[in-house]
Amino acid sequence: MSVISSSRRNFLKYTAMAGAGLVIGLPLSSCAIAGSGKSGKGGSKGFQPDAFLQLTPDNQVHFYLPRSEMGQGTYTGLTDLIAEELDVEPQAIQVHHVGAHSDYENPEIGFQATGGSTSMRVSFYPLRQAGANVRAAILTAAARQLGLEAGTLSTGKGRVLAGGKAYPYGEFASLAATLPLPDDAPLKSPKNFTYLGKDRPRLDGIAKSTGTAEFGLDVDFPGLYRAVLRRCPVAGGTVKSVDDSTAKRMPGVKKVVILDNGVAVVAEGYWQAKQAAASLVIDWHIPEKLGSFSSDSGKQWFTGALDGDDFDNAFEQGDGIDGLESAAQVVSAEYWAPYLAHSTMEPMNCTVKIDSGHCHIWAGCQAPDVAVGLAARICDLSTDQVTLHSTFLGGGFGRRFSSDFVVEAVSIAKASGLAVQLVWSREDDTRHDFYRPASLVRFKVGLDNKGMIQSWTVKRAGPNIMPYTIDEVVDGKAPGFLPDGLVDWVSKRGYGIFDGLTVDHSSVEGLYEDYDARHKAVQHVTLDPGLPVGFWRSVGHSFSGFFKESMMDELAHGQKQDSLAYRLAHSKNNPRLRRALELVAEKSGWGRVSNSKRFQGIACHTSFKSTVAQVAEVSVANGQIHIHKITCVVDCGFAVNPDMVKAQMESGIIYGLTAALHGEITVKNGEVQQSNFHDYPMLRINETPEIEVHLVKSDADPTGVGEPGVPPVAAAVANAVFAATGTRLRSLPLRV
């Protein structure tokens, strides 16, 4: 057993453990890559002091967005940071998706990636500083060019103001490009903010509303063919043999190619490729471990793991598990969360053209430079010979952090010699995802003679995400000169590292942090049948929030105490949690439901440095759960765009309710049984409750908002169902 205390951001350390040379610099922190010129678009002339901004003599301002836009609002939020300090109206800035380059690495993740609700948190100061530095340079250039004292100049909406006249910034761009760039120009005081902290419309709203925004599926050009891939129904399986004679005779079919994980058909159109792919007769090599796994019996496997003595210690405080020995009472309960698919609105897709020794990729992905590295390795090219053309993402939720869809498209393009757009059907997406890991936990909570928690212990069994992530990232980031066999060997080391040597923090995050307890212990058992798992919105918190907040409710009712009061009594050392609980109680009218058939449940959870408290108002009739209202309070520090924060909370609540009421991926003999929305449904409009969001006013630095809305909501609903029925629901999805 080993004792660790780590975070998901320790990914940096783990990847370094798995393969040397993977950790590079953190340019976003310094925000000063003068003359990098890697962005390409927007014109080659003018003033480009770093990798993020370009000012042209004809007064165009270009911002190269370092993060993916998948609906969470980086397109608007990060542009507003630049606009505020540069003193330019946000809508006057031309925003460009960037390709892959080390200048755009995420300082918290260690490579270029969008995830972990980090975009605003890591950009809040660096991008503002970039804008302030450029504004200062323009003022210096203007003073010289106009022959005036710098102190007599000011700026306003992209213009230098001097002597009653207004000069567009562009007039000074050429001179500014020849001057030293300041790196510490003063930032605005929040009291002087023009754009930040205000409700503002999305800058990409019109393009998305009018269909002019370019998503991956919109990419098209002469000579582009469509591809469909028949994958092995059991993940990890390979092709034993294939009869493609029928497919090759079908209209529009250009090529049939065999890959490691399936057989692809390339045709003139998507429907032709889909029909031809269905006609393939394929015999598969089925992986033994996953091929023998079924959900019906698998749950017992998880339970047996919790009963055993083979585990890793993930966290200890005080006397740890020994603290239970002095408890006046021990309360135990088990909670279950199944595998879940992401179901991005835009089906997975990727377009590839390999021509004259260069590979062009069009895709919306959350880890661009990993995708480029993987493509380079497949094509035996350098990364400089691979260009990623980023697009909007039609939903990510962590799914597009994995680059399997890029690997497949590049492999098909290489094997066929054709420019291809690989399109996943909804069935492909549902059955071949990187799923949220299934998890079973067992709490043992020791209470003193007053019913207060003195020992909080929990043991979790389930798969780990990090080995699957490392497997791919190492392949994508390893130097190209290393032999494929060595890289593959290194990439597989993660599976052993996180089973016996250390604990993947995403497996246990959120299980123990929020509430006061003298003794705490978290144990983990790695249990993985081999179904690929990955980051799912709010990651480990997505199930930990349900587990922990249901257990707190169970303890409160067991002590015949009010659920809110019991939580407040255990949050004396967590003022942020306490404040959120008190405000959500006030806004929801906690304990004062006017309709006698409705009942309330409360939950609160901290994730990605933000705290979210929610109260669900439900009724139960005819065996159905009806959710009438969710009142939500979020403390995310300073809200750069409060309206967008509210939108993210609403989105997270709906995503979380979908999982709470409907989400379940089951497996039979290694094959995922669900296929489309008829058996893996989304929350429908008639099921969606009224949602009311309140923000805790704060001057603290911004924290995450994309994911923290998800974790508490399943518990809030389950706790309300208990209030209504007296039945404690300990498994997801919630069924009465």
Side-chain angles (χ1 to χ4, degrees):
M1 294 185 293
S2 60
V3 180
I4 68 161
S5 176
S6 60
S7 73
R8 185 155 71 94
R9 293 188 298 278
N10 276 344
F11 180 89
L12 199 67
K13 179 178 68 177
Y14 299 143
T15 52
M17 291 166 62
L22 301 178
V23 181
I24 318 176
L26 309 175
L28 190 57
S29 298
S30 61
C31 208
I33 305 90
S36 68
K38 299 295 183 183
S39 307
K41 296 178 70 174
S44 58
K45 296 181 179 179
F47 181 30
Q48 186 166 11
D50 52 46
F52 307 96
L53 269 172
Q54 183 181 28
L55 176 61
T56 65
D58 60 351
N59 208 41
Q60 297 181 46
V61 180
H62 300 272
F63 170 48
Y64 299 96
L65 181 67
R67 297 288 164 262
S68 303
E69 171 57 64
M70 47 192 154
Q72 82 279 35
T74 57
Y75 192 95
T76 301
L78 301 194
T79 304
D80 285 351
L81 299 180
I82 291 288
E84 184 67 67
E85 299 291 348
L86 185 58
D87 203 1
V88 172
E89 290 181 300
Q91 59 270 27
I93 297 177
Q94 298 182 46
V95 186
H96 307 281
H97 300 288
V98 299
H101 193 274
S102 58
D103 289 355
Y104 303 114
E105 285 168 3
N106 186 319
E108 285 208 1
I109 296 177
F111 54 90
Q112 187 179 347
T114 304
S117 296
T118 58
S119 293
M120 181 56 70
R121 192 167 76 231
V122 304
S123 304
F124 185 65
Y125 287 111
L127 288 183
R128 286 177 59 200
Q129 191 66 63
N133 292 344
V134 172
R135 176 179 173 274
I138 291 295
L139 281 174
T140 301
R144 291 194 184 187
Q145 195 165 315
L146 298 174
L148 298 172
E149 292 293 328
T152 64
L153 307 182
S154 61
T155 60
K157 296 182 179 180
R159 289 173 169 78
V160 174
L161 308 178
K165 296 183 178 178
Y167 304 88
Y169 280 178
E171 292 189 12
F172 313 106
S174 298
L175 178 58
T178 68
L179 302 176
L181 179 72
D183 58 10
D184 59 352
L187 299 179
K188 280 187 178 179
S189 167
K191 66 181 180 183
N192 295 324
F193 283 163
T194 301
Y195 308 112
L196 306 187
K198 311 290 196 305
D199 288 344
R200 294 183 41 73
R202 297 182 66 110
L203 296 176
D204 53 350
I206 292 177
K208 289 181 174 176
S209 301
T210 57
T212 57
E214 185 182 61
F215 292 83
L217 275 177
D218 296 321
V219 173
D220 198 7
F221 49 80
L224 179 63
Y225 296 92
R226 267 65 186 181
V228 167
L229 178 62
R230 278 272 304 277
R231 300 168 186 81
C232 181
V234 179
T238 57
V239 179
K240 183 185 296 182
S241 64
V242 57
D243 178 358
D244 59 3
S245 55
T246 301
K248 286 182 174 177
R249 293 195 300 270
M250 296 179 73
V253 173
K254 295 296 181 183
K255 293 275 187 178
V256 177
V257 297
I258 300 175
L259 306 183
D260 289 340
N261 65 330
V263 182
V265 175
V266 182
E268 293 175 356
Y270 169 71
W271 184 247
Q272 293 169 322
K274 184 176 173 62
Q275 293 295 98
S279 75
L280 296 169
V281 180
I282 308 173
D283 194 13
W284 302 99
H285 291 290
I286 302 296
E288 183 177 352
K289 184 178 181 181
L290 181 56
S292 61
F293 176 78
S294 295
S295 297
D296 289 344
S297 56
K299 183 80 173 289
Q300 299 171 10
W301 186 38
F302 280 67
T303 302
L306 292 184
D307 292 336
D309 296 325
D310 186 12
F311 59 85
D312 295 315
N313 281 339
F315 179 78
E316 279 190 358
Q317 175 181 300
D319 294 337
I321 196 77
D322 294 336
L324 289 174
E325 297 176 0
S326 59
Q329 179 187 1
V330 176
V331 180
S332 180
E334 288 184 7
Y335 289 86
W336 166 256
Y339 286 102
L340 290 180
H342 294 79
S343 294
T344 58
M345 184 180 295
E346 179 195 18
M348 306 301 290
N349 67 89
C350 179
T351 301
V352 178
K353 180 180 182 181
I354 304 172
D355 187 25
S356 302
H358 202 101
C359 177
H360 290 271
I361 302 169
W362 290 263
C365 53
Q366 294 178 243
D369 61 350
V370 173
V372 166
L374 290 166
R377 186 163 290 279
I378 293 167
C379 297
D380 197 22
L381 299 171
S382 70
T383 54
D384 290 339
Q385 293 171 293
V386 179
T387 300
L388 177 70
H389 307 270
S390 297
T391 67
F392 282 110
L393 285 65
F397 316 124
R399 174 62 182 95
R400 286 181 163 91
F401 203 97
S402 300
S403 299
D404 56 319
F405 61 108
V406 177
V407 168
E408 291 178 348
V410 172
S411 299
I412 295 168
K414 181 185 178 187
S416 67
L418 299 172
V420 300
Q421 183 180 70
L422 173 66
V423 180
W424 291 45
S425 67
R426 184 58 62 187
E427 288 78 7
D428 294 335
D429 186 41
T430 305
R431 289 175 169 160
H432 299 281
D433 202 345
F434 281 76
Y435 302 92
R436 185 186 78 170
S439 298
L440 182 69
V441 301
R442 179 180 294 159
F443 287 97
K444 290 183 179 178
V445 181
L447 307 177
D448 63 19
N449 55 15
K450 295 181 180 179
M452 295 291 287
I453 299 170
Q454 69 171 32
S455 300
W456 179 273
T457 73
V458 56
K459 190 175 183 180
R460 185 257 184 184
N464 301 309
I465 293 171
M466 290 307 297
Y468 291 91
T469 304
I470 286 176
D471 197 348
E472 182 175 81
V473 171
V474 168
D475 287 344
K477 297 291 287 182
F481 60 81
L482 292 179
D484 289 348
L486 175 61
V487 173
D488 186 58
W489 182 86
V490 172
S491 70
K492 296 294 187 294
R493 296 314 95 201
Y495 296 93
I497 290 172
F498 293 102
D499 185 7
L501 293 179
T502 188
V503 175
D504 177 355
H505 188 70
S506 67
S507 296
V508 296
E509 62 186 358
L511 285 173
Y512 58 94
E513 295 93 330
D514 276 338
Y515 294 107
D516 302 338
R518 183 178 178 185
H519 310 293
K520 291 183 178 180
V522 181
Q523 299 171 339
H524 183 258
V525 185
T526 295
L527 210 62
D528 188 357
L531 189 70
V533 296
F535 300 120
W536 191 92
R537 192 173 185 175
S538 73
V539 200
H541 293 285
S542 68
F543 47 77
S544 294
F546 169 66
F547 298 157
K548 182 201 67 172
E549 286 302 294
S550 295
M551 190 68 214
M552 280 299 289
D553 211 66
E554 194 156 349
L555 293 168
H557 282 277
Q559 298 304 310
K560 302 186 185 308
Q561 295 190 36
D562 174 78
S563 297
L564 169 65
Y566 195 73
R567 283 174 169 79
L568 291 175
H570 288 87
S571 56
K572 293 179 180 176
N573 294 314
N574 193 339
R576 202 170 186 179
L577 192 85
R578 189 180 184 88
R579 187 165 60 241
L581 281 166
E582 291 173 338
L583 186 56
V584 81
E586 173 193 334
K587 297 297 184 182
S588 67
W590 175 252
R592 303 192 303 276
V593 179
S594 57
N595 188 320
S596 62
K597 294 182 180 179
R598 297 185 182 184
F599 298 83
Q600 292 177 316
I602 192 169
C604 191
H605 192 79
T606 302
S607 62
F608 307 97
K609 301 184 183 296
S610 293
T611 298
V612 174
Q614 293 168 350
V615 169
E617 190 171 311
V618 312
S619 62
V620 179
N622 301 320
Q624 297 293 316
I625 300 170
H626 302 277
I627 306 168
H628 302 283
K629 183 177 181 180
I630 300 290
T631 304
C632 174
V633 166
V634 54
D635 185 344
C636 60
F638 176 73
V640 171
N641 187 329
D643 188 54
M644 204 165 292
V645 172
K646 291 179 181 178
Q648 284 301 294
M649 290 301 111
E650 292 165 352
S651 165
I653 288 167
I654 292 172
Y655 202 74
L657 287 178
T658 293
L661 297 181
H662 303 303
E664 185 175 29
I665 289 292
T666 58
V667 177
K668 185 175 183 179
N669 298 326
E671 298 184 22
V672 171
Q673 294 179 287
Q674 291 71 31
S675 62
N676 207 318
F677 292 135
H678 69 285
D679 54 8
Y680 192 74
M682 301 289 103
L683 196 75
R684 294 178 180 272
I685 289 177
N686 67 312
E687 300 173 293
T688 304
E690 175 188 357
I691 299 174
E692 185 178 295
V693 180
H694 303 273
L695 278 60
V696 174
K697 188 175 181 180
S698 173
D699 294 326
D701 291 346
T703 51
V705 298
E707 302 177 83
V710 175
V713 73
V717 172
N719 296 338
V721 171
F722 177 80
T725 66
T727 299
R728 178 66 62 185
L729 301 180
R730 299 191 179 93
S731 295
L732 294 175
L734 302 173
R735 287 165 183 153
V736 294

